[in-house]
Amino acid sequence: MGLWDKLFGKTTREGHGMTKLNIGIILGSTREGRVSPQVGEWVKGIADKRGDANYEIVDIADYKLPFLGTTDGTEPGIAAWNGKLASLDGFVFIVQEYNHSISGALKNALDFARDAWNNKSAGIVSYGSTGGARAAEHLRGIMGELMIADVRVHPTLSLFTDFENGTVFKPNDLHLNNVNAMLDQVISWGGALKTLR
């Protein structure tokens, strides 16, 4: 095994003496009629076939987070959210573009944690009229401040070609390679960053 594999997770990926990483697939929308659950389940289906990590859907809607700074911070969802993030080694953000950026719900959820994000890897799967690219770029800036290492490969899904009537997710086959390449990087970086925590 080469130095690169030792540093960047081949041992973790193949499970030789190390536990698998825990990767959360974070649904970045809470609005009624959202399609992020369809996209998240699609990513999880691809990821589970790999067998290289433990993947789970993490839905921010389940935590019922208040707006940051509007309460005394004792709501149980806040502690549960931080606990869930602390249990994860990396993330895949399912990001939809709202007014050229991420949703307010996702920004709020990002802001409700600090240390639980640090020194972990993340990939982005985005969608929108331009593939959600502008939202993904905004998210990258936020992740830098939270010490999340975002990977380069970034699957982008179009509302025009990957969704039927903008509501039923029917991804083109070409995205499969990008999702797997993105997950390769999330796992490699996640394994390396785990040594810093």
Side-chain angles (χ1 to χ4, degrees), residues 30-47:
T30 58
R31 71 176 177 83
E32 193 69 31
R34 62 192 175 144
V35 296
S36 57
Q38 295 177 62
V39 180
E41 288 296 340
W42 172 70
V43 171
K44 187 175 187 302
I46 295 168

Side-chain angles (χ1 to χ4, degrees), residues 48-163:
D48 285 344
K49 289 177 185 172
R50 297 164 54 91
D52 57 354
N54 301 312
Y55 296 94
E56 66 176 297
I57 300 286
V58 180
D59 189 347
I60 59 178
D62 292 341
Y63 295 87
K64 307 208 178 340
L65 297 170
F67 283 115
L68 185 68
T70 62
T71 68
D72 63 6
T74 59
E75 290 84 359
I78 298 171
W81 173 243
N82 277 267
K84 173 50 68 181
L85 296 178
S87 74
L88 300 169
D89 301 301
F91 315 98
V92 174
F93 289 93
I94 308 300
V95 180
Q96 43 293 121
E97 188 169 308
Y98 290 104
N99 297 325
H100 290 212
S101 190
I102 62 173
S103 69
L106 177 56
K107 179 61 167 70
N108 191 57
L110 286 159
D111 291 345
F112 256 115
R114 189 75 190 175
D115 294 344
W117 295 118
N118 296 172
N119 295 316
K120 296 179 181 180
S121 62
I124 301 169
V125 177
S126 65
Y127 60 90
S129 59
T130 58
R134 296 168 295 204
E137 288 307 306
H138 280 192
L139 179 57
R140 288 183 192 280
I142 297 164
M143 288 196 289
E145 177 61 23
L146 294 173
M147 295 172 56
I148 303 170
D150 57 295
V151 303
R152 179 181 177 274
V153 178
H154 166 207
T156 58
L157 307 166
S158 169
L159 285 177
F160 303 115
T161 59
D162 295 303
F163 293 84

